[in-house]
Amino acid sequence: MENADDILVIRCLNRSREIQHRLNACREERRPYVFITQTMRDKYQGITSQDTFLLPKPDTPLIRRILVPVTLLEEEVYKAEICTYLARKTGAHLILLKAHDYGSKAEQNLHKIRTHIESVSQRIGQTLSYEVQEAMKNSFSLAKEACERQRDFGHDLLLLTASREYGMDDFLFGPPERHAIQRSLVPVMLVNPRADLFSLCD
């Protein structure tokens, strides 16, 4: 990914069937993709799939704070390259929300993401602003918490990893990312979890 035009912006109605249809269509997408529904805040309503919403607007930057939930899944580490790219392009502050798990996997993923942010900061000579928050819920409820606590975090973008594959619960009740898109008041950026599906260039 070399520029913000490589991000796919998807506008849709806040309906389960429509969102799921678009999620299914993006399963092989190489680019990060952003969902913007009609229920999201007014400042996002003028964005179309042709717009580059990451670029700052005069006096009113769209993306100032990015919430990055970090779970125990190994694919979460893929978010490191994307969130550093976003922070560099927008100057946004990153909020790393670590799942409240008993095991150490989420902590290890958090460490890898922090290490990447700090190494990029050192390499480019620009301090990328971030903080770490401890979630109240575990990895499997973290996306839901991120949406429930939007006013606490004050974020303008939610960065999630799409489900690696759909299980029976996902087919019956919908995957976590669909519910997050429906609940969120801000755009939700998704990345596919397979390493061969995208490449970010610094």
Side-chain angles (χ1 to χ4, degrees), residues 5-156:
D5 291 329
D6 290 337
I7 296 172
L8 176 64
V9 177
I10 301 169
R11 290 179 57 84
C12 63
L13 298 176
N14 197 358
R15 295 176 180 168
S16 298
R17 184 173 294 180
E18 180 175 349
I19 293 171
Q20 189 61 57
H21 175 73
R22 293 173 183 266
L23 284 171
N24 293 342
C26 289
R27 295 292 287 173
E28 301 301 320
E29 182 59 59
R30 290 181 176 270
R31 297 169 289 178
Y33 46 103
V34 181
F35 276 79
I36 300 176
T37 70
Q38 87 278 12
T39 58
M40 292 174 183
R41 291 189 287 197
D42 291 342
K43 68 178 181 177
Y44 303 106
Q45 293 307 306
I47 296 171
T48 70
S49 58
Q50 287 76 39
D51 290 322
T52 302
F53 76 96
L54 291 180
L55 297 180
K57 308 297 181 185
D59 303 320
T60 56
L62 287 175
I63 309 298
R64 292 167 294 185
R65 293 168 66 84
I66 301 171
L67 185 61
V68 186
V70 182
T71 74
L72 56 78
L73 300 175
E74 61 182 355
E75 53 260 34
E76 292 292 89
V77 179
Y78 297 152
K79 292 179 182 175
E81 292 185 47
I82 294 184
C83 71
T84 52
Y85 172 82
L86 296 174
R88 288 170 59 189
K89 294 295 288 186
T90 66
H93 177 72
L94 302 172
I95 306 166
L96 307 180
L97 181 63
K98 186 183 79 67
H100 186 70
D101 293 337
Y102 290 108
S104 61
K105 290 184 178 179
E107 184 67 45
Q108 292 170 3
N109 288 339
L110 174 66
H111 175 73
K112 291 176 183 177
I113 294 173
R114 292 183 66 178
T115 299
H116 184 78
I117 293 171
E118 290 165 9
S119 72
V120 170
S121 294
Q122 186 175 18
R123 188 173 74 247
I124 67 175
Q126 172 190 349
T127 300
L128 301 179
S129 174
Y130 79 92
E131 65 182 273
V132 176
Q133 294 277 354
E134 180 78 24
M136 295 182 286
K137 297 184 178 180
N138 64 23
S139 290
F140 303 103
S141 301
L142 193 56
K144 181 178 179 182
E145 178 177 343
C147 294
E148 291 175 343
R149 298 181 61 194
Q150 290 180 90
R151 288 178 176 80
D152 293 343
F153 298 122
H155 55 281
D156 305 294

